[in-house]
Amino acid sequence: MATDRALPEPVVIGVTKARRDGRPVETCTVAFTKVPIEPFLKAFSDSTNAEKLSEESEGTWTSRLYMLIAGNRKQFVKLKYARSPDGNGPMAASSIAER
């Protein structure tokens, strides 16, 4: 559990090193219990070169998959979030990239 004035609190951050199809990969997941969804999505879009690959909705939850280049590495990023009536909601952002 991390606390930082730049991030909405509380936030959980997880980082792993693993293998996918025999290749070494790194993953990172950041989970927020409550974040302003639209401003987050706009900041993500404005600050990355992410290309949206898919979007699925199930009830109040939306899941989006993106591909982007960051740090000279191709990464897949999945955002899963649920909007509440006030525009805030829980969100998990996960990325996976080859090492």
Side-chain angles (χ1 to χ4, degrees):
M1 199 91 152
T3 58
D4 183 315
R5 295 188 195 283
L7 297 172
E9 293 181 23
V11 61
V12 176
I13 302 172
V15 178
T16 65
K17 292 183 179 184
R19 295 184 100 48
R20 182 172 186 265
D21 299 329
R23 298 181 302 211
V25 295
E26 296 175 334
T27 69
C28 179
T29 299
V30 180
F32 306 98
T33 57
K34 189 173 184 180
V35 67
I37 301 296
E38 289 307 320
F40 183 98
L41 295 173
K42 182 172 179 0
F44 178 77
S45 176
D46 291 349
S47 63
T48 69
N49 62 348
E51 174 187 346
K52 186 166 67 169
L53 302 176
S54 67
E55 180 172 331
E56 297 175 8
S57 294
E58 185 176 321
T60 60
W61 286 90
T62 301
S63 182
R64 292 182 179 179
L65 179 64
Y66 295 88
M67 192 278 296
L68 63 94
I69 307 292
N72 294 322
R73 296 191 306 173
K74 180 167 72 169
Q75 298 182 39
F76 290 96
V77 174
K78 184 173 187 175
L79 301 178
K80 187 168 185 170
Y81 56 91
R83 285 186 184 90
S84 65
D86 69 359
N88 296 310
M91 175 183 280
S94 300
S95 71
I96 185 169
E98 287 190 20
R99 275 193 266 158

